[in-house]
Every structure is written in structure tokens, then in C-alpha cells.
Amino acid sequence: MKACTTVALLATLWTAVWGRGENSPQVTTRFGKIEGLYLDDTVAVYYGVPFASPPVGEMRWKAPLEPKGWGGEVYKATRIKPACPQYDCQRLTPPLVCPTQTSEDCLYLDIYTPRDAAAANDSKKNNGTGYPVMLFIHGGNFDSLAGSSPLFDGRRLAGTRGVVLVTINYRLGALGFLVTGETSDDARGNYGILDQQQALKWVNANIGAFGGDPARVTVFGQSAGAQSTLIHLTSSGSAPYFQNAIMESSPISIPYKRFPEAIVLGGLFAELAGCRPRDLPCLRSKTSEQLAYASHQARSKVSSLKLLEFFEPWGPFVDGDLIKAEPLQLLREGSFSPKPLLMGTTSEETVLYIYSAWNSSVGVQTYAEVVLATYPAHALQILSVYPPTQPSDEREQMVRMSTDLVMACPARNASRLMLRTSPAGGGSFRDVWTYVWNHAFSFPGWGPVFFCEGRVCHGSELVYLFHSEWTGNFTFTRAEEALSAQIMDFWTNFAKTGDPNSPGPSPKPAWPRYGQEEGQWPVFKFQTPQSVVESDYHGKECDFWDTIGYDA
């Protein structure tokens, strides 16, 4: 399948047909005029709009700055821009996700709007009557993917559900998260998160020109994008720029890097890049391709038997400023913004990770060693809850255990902490809805990730949320069309009102708030032929993890 090539050719065709003269939407932002494309009679798109200055040269490993304006020129936002540097995305990634081009000059966003949004922007700009805005943060272990990937094509959401959709890039791997020290001359990490925060600020200041309402912004993300969303929920610097949040499959229990760990990883990366540790002039002399390869090599070399190490070698760093502590600790302390929240997981999250980390059968001894390495103080308790069941191959039990440990149970724990804790600044918090996605593709959409065929793997909901199956020449069944309509309605209702069940007729069944009644913990289960509400998903297992804690 040549999905990415097909989408690139289509974008070129759209440019040739629509990207000129009267057939092009045009808006005026703080930085100048921007010209986009009409994709069809329902939606317009603005590809590759700069939200920050290029992070190149001396700006490598610096906080992002505002983009420079382009004066009286008209900026042509008619072609997809390259993704941020990354290495070997295609090896173990579904084909609709990987970008075809990369560049260090990558801090761009794409904006999809209902067709009439740009024409109406003069009357809607910044007066509370614009379309609700949904800003999507892509996943990829903070190491790969792009907001412009075909999977995240936003025309169906924007064109059929009446929202303005923004997808963004941010720096990845070592370019986004390198730590070399604590001085002003060092790389100090979290540049990818700062990029996201800069995108939020840009949207707040400029989205009114596109017909969006800056007072109705929903941040949503999947995997690393969901982790990022939680960071923004717990960051006072991000809180003013959005009103609602959606977290899809956040691996909340994966610990952030501390200074000693970040320094070791940074030193290893520098060595692999051919430089001494902390030698930023040397590292700045390397090409982005060289650094992406060294970042990839460092990622593989730090992995060990410790289970959580397989998930995310690069990522957020507890710097005491932007990120003050681990997320669950911050939630326990009430250090979060009480914004309406949707949060959930897929039912088989870690098939992707377990079967890629162990590509052959895992015996009982190796399984026990992994548990011991991950949770030495509680290994026997864990093995009693998740005992060996298939001595010839324990990978399925590893999937069950790690899905609960990394995704499902810490998500439940986070929801309950937020409902039971008074957030900073006072007040109460009630608006949480939780879900589990329990539907596997009916089509062969996983490409090289063959072990996810027929499984509800990490990210399974995304093609239904964006209704982007067409970008890979796939077709939904009738039941999948209904399931896609359901998740699209819930997500965009939430963006419009802060409640997935309204406005208008809500998808059936209705989605009750989590913990609204004492002792009631309803979870919405997306599946075919009929979605259901389950009273307490994985309750026994999550009670166990809550008891022993999530800090290995």
C-alpha cells in the first residue's frame, strides 16, 4: 500500500486545482495573510502554518520563539510541510502514520475548517461566536510521527461536525528532550513540550481569523500526545489557553526522567553522535539526520529487562519548572486545572510493545524475571494476580499485566484522584468521562505490525475518530461506520459544550459521568455491534495496582 504517496499526490492535485485565485480561502493573522485550499464543498485546509521560528542553528535546543511575519506577502499554506527529524518510523508502524519527509525546520501546524469559517471570520473573530477548536497532539513515544500524517487528516471532523481542527508538530527524540546539564548553556530538556505550549499560544492569538473560537479550545492527544495533554493540565503556563481535554491511551505510570537518568541518556546520545558529553557546539555541527540516528541508537541501548523501559526512552523530564513532578503526584496534590476531561484506553494496549520487544515466545522464567526487574518489592504479589498461564509462551499474560499497569489502571487512578482532590485555587471537579475502546479493524490496516491484526492495539480508535480509512484505500463495514459516527459525535459534542452527550440528540447509549454517584464508576465501552456502559472496568485488577502503587 502506498498511502502516504497517494495522499501527497492528492495534495499536489488539490494545489493545482484549488490553490489559486478566487477558489482559495484567505485569512489575515497577526503575522500576515495566509492562503489555503478548499478540499471540497464542506472544508478548507491551511497546511504548514508556522507557529514558531525554525529551531535550527543556534536555536537547536532552545525554547521556541514566535515566527517572523511575512509583511505584505501572502503565505501559501497549500502544501504539507516536513515532519520533525526521526529515524526508521516505517519499521514497526502502521502505514498511515509515518511521514514521507522530515526537516529540522518543522514547527508547523495544519488547520482544517468548515468551508464557511474563513469567509465568516470577520464577524466571528474573538467574540465567542466562532466554531469550537480541537487541537490534536500526536503520539509516537516522543520519538516519531507527525501531525500531518494521513491518519490524522482532519477534513471529516471539520467538514461534517462543525469544528476547527488543528494538528501540530513538535520536536522529537534527542532534538526535543536532550538534557546535558543545568546551566543556561546546556540543553535542558522538554523542548517538545514547550513547542506544544507555543502552539497553544499561537492558536489562542490567531485562530479567530480562521473562524475558530479561542475561548472554546479542546486539547486532545493519543499516547505521548495524551501524556502531553496531562502535562498541560498540570501546567499553569498552559492552563489559560484551553478549556477541555481528551486523553487517549496515556501511559501515565511510565516515570518521567530525573536528572541523573537524563544525563546518562544525554551522554550516551552524544557519544553515539561522535561528540563528548555536554559538547553542544559539536552536537550543533551535526546534521539533523545524524542526530536522529544517534537518538534512535540511544533509545535501543538503554532498554533492559525492566518492563517500563521498553515504552519510552525519550520523553518528559522533571525540570522543577515546566514539569514539577510525576503526574499522579501532582494530581494527589491538587496541582491541576479542573477542566472537563474525557480519558480512556484500548482493551489490548500493549500487544504492540510486548510483541515487538519479544519477537519469539517467552517462557515462565523470563516472565518472572521481567516482573522481578520491574517491581522487585511486589513481584510475588503480581505473579499471584497475573500467574503464568501458558508455560510455552507467556506474552499474552504480559500483555494483560502491562496493559493494566501502564494504561488502564493508572488512568482509573488519575480519574479518581481528580474527582476526590480539591484542585489548586479551590472549587470542585466533577466533569470526567472514561472509556475503553474494544474494537479491532475489519481491514488489514496494521502493515508491518502484523501481530496487531485482529487485536485492539494501541491507537486502534484513531482511524475511526478521524474517519481516515479512505487515505489507505480501506473501507469501513456498516457497523464500523456507526462506531466511527459515535466517537466523532462524542468528541465534537464535548468540544462544543464540555459534555459528550450534547448538544442535540446524543449518541446511544448515553455516556454517564464517572463517579457522579458515590461508588458508581461507569465506563463507556466502544465496540460493535453495540457499545455498552460497563460498571467498573477491570475493577479487581485496578484495586490491586492502586494498593501497591505505580512507582516501580
Side-chain angles (χ1 to χ4, degrees), residues 213-402:
D213 183 354
R216 284 195 296 167
V217 175
T218 296
V219 174
F220 71 122
Q222 187 267 343
S223 191
Q227 284 177 279
S228 301
T229 300
L230 183 54
I231 288 172
H232 297 303
L233 274 171
T234 56
S235 169
S236 59
S238 299
Y241 303 111
F242 67 104
Q243 288 69 47
N244 307 314
I246 302 173
M247 293 167 49
E248 303 174 36
S249 300
S250 176
I252 296 174
S253 67
I254 292 179
Y256 296 159
K257 290 285 186 294
R258 299 287 177 160
F259 187 74
E261 300 161 329
I263 284 291
V264 168
L265 180 60
L268 175 61
F269 161 74
E271 179 183 331
L272 291 166
C275 298
R276 297 188 307 275
R278 300 188 67 180
D279 189 347
L280 284 186
C282 176
L283 289 171
R284 287 196 175 100
S285 74
K286 305 296 181 179
T287 67
S288 61
E289 291 82 6
Q290 289 172 320
L291 296 180
Y293 181 59
S295 178
H296 172 76
Q297 287 182 300
R299 173 188 172 91
S300 63
K301 288 183 180 294
V302 297
S303 293
S304 68
L305 276 179
K306 190 173 180 181
L307 186 66
L308 300 186
E309 287 286 337
F310 287 113
F311 287 87
E312 200 172 81
W314 293 103
F317 162 61
V318 179
D319 59 7
D321 182 18
L322 178 65
I323 301 176
K324 298 184 183 300
E326 300 289 345
L328 291 177
Q329 178 183 336
L330 292 173
L331 297 184
R332 282 192 291 268
E333 295 171 353
S335 299
F336 64 92
S337 298
K339 302 177 186 292
L341 173 67
L342 301 187
M343 179 160 55
T345 63
T346 71
S347 58
E348 297 183 292
E349 290 278 12
T350 60
V351 168
L352 174 64
Y353 300 98
I354 296 301
Y355 278 80
S356 60
W358 287 277
N359 57 15
S360 60
S361 61
V362 171
V364 173
Q365 180 176 341
T366 299
Y367 173 48
E369 289 172 348
V370 168
V371 173
L372 181 62
T374 305
Y375 265 83
H378 302 286
L380 292 179
Q381 293 169 273
I382 294 169
L383 289 170
S384 69
V385 176
Y386 302 91
T389 58
Q390 298 291 331
S392 61
D393 190 357
E394 294 295 343
R395 284 181 294 181
E396 284 304 301
Q397 193 69 316
M398 291 173 73
V399 167
R400 180 171 167 255
M401 178 192 70
S402 57

Side-chain angles (χ1 to χ4, degrees), residues 23 89 224 227 464 478 515:
N23 290 324
C89 175
Q227 284 177 279
Y464 301 95
R478 182 176 297 182

Side-chain angles (χ1 to χ4, degrees), residues 512-535:
R513 280 180 175 83
Y514 193 67
Q516 186 170 22
E517 303 292 336
E518 183 65 29
Q520 299 297 309
W521 308 103
V523 176
F524 194 92
K525 199 169 191 178
F526 288 93
Q527 59 187 24
T528 57
Q530 179 66 47
S531 296
V532 298
V533 175
E534 189 168 309
S535 60

Side-chain angles (χ1 to χ4, degrees), residues 16 45 99 162 165 198 214 220 236 360 397 417 473 496 531:
V45 66
L165 178 72
Q198 173 63 25
F220 71 122
S236 59
S360 60
Q397 193 69 316
L417 283 174
N473 297 318
K496 293 170 184 176
S531 296

